[in-house]
Amino acid sequence: MGNIWGCLAPWHRSSLPAGLPHCNTPRSLLQINDSLITTYRDHCHNLTRGGSVFDTMSELFGRATGTTRGIGGSMHMYNKAENFYGGNGIVGSGIPNGAGIAFAHKYRMEPNVCVTMYGDGAANQGQKYEALNLAALWELPCIFVCENNHYGMGTAEWRAAKSSQFFTRGDYIPGIKADGMDVLAVKQVTQFAKQYALDKGPIILELDTYRYHGHSMSDPGSTYRTRDEINVMRQSRDPIDRVKKLLLEAGVPPEDIKKTEKDMKKEVDDAIAEAKKAPEPPLTWMWRNVYANPASCTLRDVGGRYVTPVHDSHYKDLQQIA
Amino acid sequence: MILQPSSRLSIGFGIGLALRRQHSRPAEHVALQASRHDEATNISAPAKHSPQNSRVAHMNMANAVHSALEAAMELEPKSCVFGEDVAFGGVFRCTVGLQSRFGKNRCFNTPLSEQGIVGFGIGLAAMGWKAICEIQFADYIYPAFDQMVNEAAKYRYRSGGMYNVGGLTLRAPYGAVGHGGAYHSQSPESFFCHVPGLKVVIPSSPMEAKGLLLASIFEPDPVVFFEPKMMYRTSAEDVPTGSFTIPLGKARVISTGQDITLVGWGQQVVVLMEAAKLAKQEGVSCEIIDLRTLQPWDRETVIASVEKTGRLLVSHEAPLTGGFGAELVAEVTKKAFTSLLSPPVRVCGMDTPFPLVLESIYLPSALRVLEAIKSSVLY
């Protein structure tokens, strides 16, 4: 996935969100009423769940026009209207949350699932196994998706896990492995998984993918793997190049593809420029949303002065400063 | 009424405040003492050691931590350093070369499992090893919190002294770093101070880091060692290349003064020094104390200082409510009540989750400390 924290370079949409779009017709493809919860690599998911490049970049720059008003930052993008539950900074923390969300869908008898995403690093967290047990025990419509990019930051999967067959680590929960860098494969496997989850209960998808860049801006990405490996992946398995090839083979004129690329690049560049000009959050937003009813619990500032913040989840004063 | 900080207060801490300490502080050359022979658990003392304090090197805190770990692993063959990504050197380069020097059985990576890391370390320590575990950021310590509170802290007590995990040292980088946000900037020290059975140590310079870490590793009680991550690169001084320890439970008086006692730890000590400099220009003389060990903290030094100055200011990055400053203020108020000329004050992080872009507003900066010093003095 071409997700880079705070990076200004134009970035690719990964195959994963492209394969999990909302789609109106077949019930088995993910819809906007299916919940999604993921890790800190949430930027692309934000785009597929109601976000725009502008509000994503604004959030990365910490501006008031960002997805979460500049308060959440790179790791915390959400969209309530489109059932996107973020955006979790702590590794593995979203997995039990996803089981809970799936429970709500089942309880309300909705034909919806919760897609709960995590990485190969998080696959070794205890809370994941607690969540799997709960989901299987109560037959929750939860699709556990392991985005296996083979490195937990600097540690290769074979050095962190006794078994790196992550789709088998659900024990009594069935699993499927698919090529996460192939849009159509991801689409097919998601279709199957949703059907399964609604009918029978939890399922694990392991999507084999790769991370070209380092884990974050602080990680060069080359101290634990060779540049050759990265190049080979980029040349042979890049999801966007594959889609381009398929389109060309299907007879789409190359000029159209070039034009689309150019338009997208312009869209991203424009959004970045706009986002750079956006205002920062006002200082009063520091106190927002610590508690539901702040009047009952006064907060104190640096010098011990009491502050009674005002609760406003719609951030009405955004109109005033924008 | 909603707080509207004035512009002068919004200058704040800033990113990468690099206060280099130019002078070489006189080192407390305490020879590494043989730890007690504990028959029940076979923690053996290092057999031979002589302090080689004649050679010094200019080190930053990451180098100093590395130096301490290397020295400890040399002195104690039954010691292991482990955690996430430590084998290639760690995310802050504190463990560079340890695996190649001491082998894969003594310095190794763990999977991404904090509870597992610490639980495993506790078991190893119960067998008499020095288990030096690293939690990559203090923000991730919470899955391990149960193990620390319910196992590590209580092992000796609940087994009637039969077993203990004194060999456990939990290291974690903590504190604001300028761009850390909610999950790379937390200061969880007060949670651990509240647990009888654990010790909490926080260095404020490379020299302190090396001496305190060596002392913590050889301490016969489990120690939580928080390293101020901002200082890994921004602080540097001459540090002896040999082994030495700085005693736990003893605070350091950084500079003496007459008008007010400022107490802090870790990175905040640098902020207090900055505030004291500004206060001096306004004619206020500050005594600065670096607490070093929070649990158990050096009551004698702090109370003696407050009895002299009559005023106390405690400052930490962690949020104000329930922060460790409350413990200090409560105890000092009780013990030095008649010496106090003004109420003790705390200048701490705000009672909100650690913010991202608003970090400089959140932090107890030098100017805010100065404001509190002045209002204390003018009380």
Side-chain angles (χ1 to χ4, degrees):
Chain A
M1 294 180 74
N3 283 333
I4 305 154
W5 281 6
C7 183
L8 305 184
W11 35 280
H12 303 285
R13 299 175 180 214
S14 83
S15 66
L16 189 53
L20 300 177
H22 67 276
C23 189
N24 290 325
T25 21
R27 170 182 173 263
S28 51
L29 280 183
L30 285 189
Q31 311 212 355
I32 217 60
N33 290 327
D34 292 313
S35 306
L36 174 67
I37 186 168
T38 182
T39 66
Y40 44 78
R41 280 194 212 290
D42 53 353
H43 319 96
C44 285
H45 295 292
N46 187 42
L47 293 176
T48 62
R49 290 272 171 156
S52 65
V53 184
F54 172 66
D55 61 50
T56 307
M57 297 311 290
S58 296
E59 190 63 36
L60 293 177
F61 296 145
R63 304 302 164 107
T65 45
T67 317
T68 31
R69 301 287 175 257
I71 303 294
S74 164
M75 301 195 288
H76 306 109
M77 299 190 184
Y78 299 83
N79 195 311
K80 188 163 182 187
E82 307 224 357
N83 298 305
F84 177 41
Y85 292 87
N88 287 287
I90 298 293
V91 169
S93 63
I95 309 173
N97 299 162
I101 294 166
F103 180 88
H105 283 309
K106 182 168 181 176
Y107 189 91
R108 298 196 294 232
M109 298 197 281
E110 292 165 356
N112 295 115
V113 298
C114 179
V115 177
T116 305
M117 305 183 72
Y118 58 94
D120 48 293
N124 301 313
Q125 276 277 314
Q127 52 192 326
K128 173 200 168 199
Y129 296 93
E130 294 187 14
L132 290 178
N133 185 47
L134 295 175
L137 187 64
W138 297 329
E139 292 170 10
L140 304 179
C142 196
I143 304 175
F144 293 99
V145 180
C146 179
E147 289 177 87
N148 182 9
N149 64 17
H150 308 286
Y151 292 92
M153 201 184 76
T155 306
E157 60 180 350
W158 51 272
R159 290 196 301 147
K162 177 66 180 173
S163 162
S164 42
Q165 302 295 307
F166 295 104
F167 67 102
T168 62
R169 286 176 62 177
D171 189 7
Y172 32 74
I173 296 179
I176 309 181
K177 182 167 175 167
D179 183 355
M181 293 171 93
D182 181 345
V183 179
L184 299 175
V186 174
K187 184 176 170 197
Q188 275 216 298
V189 81
T190 315
Q191 194 167 348
F192 175 83
K194 178 169 171 181
Q195 192 64 55
Y196 186 93
L198 287 173
D199 295 339
K200 304 228 185 79
I203 185 170
I204 298 182
L205 297 188
E206 182 187 338
L207 297 174
D208 195 299
T209 178
Y210 198 77
R211 168 173 41 90
Y212 301 141
H213 296 267
H215 166 80
S216 68
M217 294 305 289
S218 321
D219 174 30
S222 50
T223 50
Y224 45 84
R225 55 185 180 172
T226 61
R227 288 195 198 281
D228 286 338
E229 183 187 302
I230 304 171
N231 287 333
V232 162
M233 285 293 174
R234 214 191 265 272
Q235 278 150 25
S236 62
R237 291 184 63 196
D238 186 78
I240 296 174
D241 287 343
R242 276 185 183 174
V243 169
K244 268 200 269 187
K245 232 182 1 187
L246 280 172
L247 291 173
L248 288 170
E249 280 170 15
V252 174
E255 310 82 57
D256 282 1
I257 295 179
K258 272 212 164 53
K259 183 172 182 310
T260 313
E261 278 188 329
K262 232 175 102 181
D263 288 346
M264 265 174 50
K265 189 170 188 309
K266 184 169 188 315
E267 185 188 332
V268 172
D269 287 342
D270 287 348
I272 291 173
E274 274 302 305
K276 279 195 205 178
K277 291 191 270 180
E280 281 195 0
L283 300 176
T284 50
W285 287 4
M286 180 87 191
W287 304 99
R288 288 224 155 105
N289 298 314
V290 180
Y291 289 101
N293 180 8
S296 64
C297 191
T298 48
L299 307 170
R300 286 181 292 173
D301 77 349
V302 175
R305 280 168 291 233
Y306 287 91
V307 173
T308 308
V310 171
H311 171 64
D312 180 1
S313 66
H314 298 291
Y315 289 92
K316 289 196 186 74
D317 41 346
L318 177 63
Q319 276 74 51
Q320 290 166 16
I321 54 158
Chain B
M1 187 187 143
I2 296 170
L3 176 73
Q4 296 284 357
S6 58
S7 57
R8 72 182 171 88
L9 291 180
S10 63
I11 294 169
F13 200 42
I15 295 168
L17 177 68
L19 261 178
R20 282 172 164 263
R21 301 186 51 202
Q22 296 302 325
H23 61 280
S24 219
R25 203 181 57 77
E28 287 170 33
H29 294 296
V30 179
L32 189 64
Q33 288 152 25
S35 41
R36 299 191 303 267
H37 271 279
D38 188 337
E39 295 301 334
T41 56
N42 291 320
I43 296 177
S44 56
K48 280 191 280 265
H49 169 72
S50 59
Q52 300 147 37
N53 296 320
S54 50
R55 290 179 53 230
V56 292
H58 203 64
M59 297 186 194
N60 61 28
M61 192 179 276
N63 302 142
V65 167
H66 175 266
S67 180
L69 292 174
E70 204 171 23
M73 291 181 85
E74 233 176 76
L75 286 165
E76 174 57 80
K78 290 198 312 185
S79 63
C80 292
V81 169
F82 50 93
E84 292 156 21
D85 303 302
V86 299
F88 84 89
V91 287
F92 294 107
R93 328 303 276 138
C94 293
T95 50
V96 174
L98 292 181
Q99 187 178 72
S100 51
R101 183 165 168 202
F102 296 103
K104 289 197 172 128
N105 290 333
R106 293 188 61 201
C107 177
F108 50 91
N109 277 345
T110 59
L112 219 163
S113 321
E114 287 75 23
Q115 184 168 23
I117 292 168
V118 173
F120 167 92
I122 288 169
L124 195 57
M127 293 292 280
W129 256 257
K130 299 263 179 283
I132 306 164
C133 25
E134 175 180 302
I135 296 291
Q136 198 158 84
F137 282 85
D139 315 58
Y140 312 151
I141 211 168
Y142 307 108
F145 193 63
D146 172 65
Q147 282 287 333
M148 289 305 291
V149 171
N150 281 329
E151 310 304 321
K154 298 173 168 68
Y155 226 99
R156 192 191 290 270
Y157 188 85
R158 71 189 187 198
S159 67
M162 206 185 295
Y163 287 103
N164 71 73
V165 292
L168 180 76
T169 306
L170 201 175
R171 294 180 38 241
Y174 92 102
V177 71
H179 49 268
Y183 299 120
H184 295 80
S185 320
Q186 288 178 38
S187 301
E189 70 268 8
S190 69
F191 299 128
F192 295 92
C193 293
H194 190 55
V195 187
L198 295 181
K199 292 193 171 167
V200 180
V201 179
I202 304 184
S204 61
S205 81
M207 171 89 78
E208 296 284 305
K210 183 168 174 181
L212 289 170
L213 182 54
L214 276 169
S216 302
I217 291 169
F218 288 97
E219 182 75 8
D221 289 307
V223 177
V224 182
F225 191 82
F226 286 119
E227 299 161 3
K229 66 173 83 68
M230 178 78 99
M231 296 183 111
Y232 278 139
R233 304 275 178 272
T234 61
S235 68
E237 61 180 341
D238 290 335
V239 179
T241 53
S243 305
F244 64 98
T245 55
I246 293 174
L248 299 191
K250 195 89 188 63
R252 165 169 77 118
V253 179
I254 292 177
S255 61
T256 50
Q258 308 305 318
D259 299 324
I260 183 170
T261 302
L262 310 179
V263 180
W265 49 86
Q267 173 70 18
Q268 200 60 15
V269 164
V270 170
V271 176
L272 292 180
M273 284 163 59
E274 179 70 21
K277 223 169 43 187
L278 295 169
K280 189 155 177 214
Q281 292 164 14
E282 313 220 9
V284 178
S285 147
C286 303
E287 180 148 307
I288 307 175
I289 298 180
D290 168 19
L291 210 56
R292 284 171 166 170
T293 306
L294 271 63
Q295 173 60 14
W297 61 281
D298 187 350
R299 283 169 178 73
E300 282 90 34
T301 304
V302 176
I303 288 167
S305 174
V306 175
E307 280 172 349
K308 180 176 80 171
T309 63
R311 295 182 180 87
L312 174 67
L313 183 151
V314 184
S315 188
H316 55 70
E317 280 176 21
L320 178 62
T321 300
F324 195 62
E327 166 70 28
L328 296 170
V329 165
E331 192 67 12
V332 170
T333 306
K334 179 179 161 190
K335 291 273 168 66
F337 187 66
T338 48
S339 311
L340 288 172
L341 300 171
S342 61
V345 290
R346 294 177 289 162
V347 183
C348 305
M350 295 189 175
D351 282 341
T352 69
F354 200 100
L356 188 55
V357 287
L358 299 173
E359 173 171 326
S360 55
I361 312 303
Y362 168 96
L363 284 173
S365 60
L367 288 172
R368 287 178 155 149
V369 173
L370 177 68
E371 193 195 1
I373 290 173
K374 291 206 283 202
S375 66
S376 236
V377 165
L378 295 170
Y379 183 75

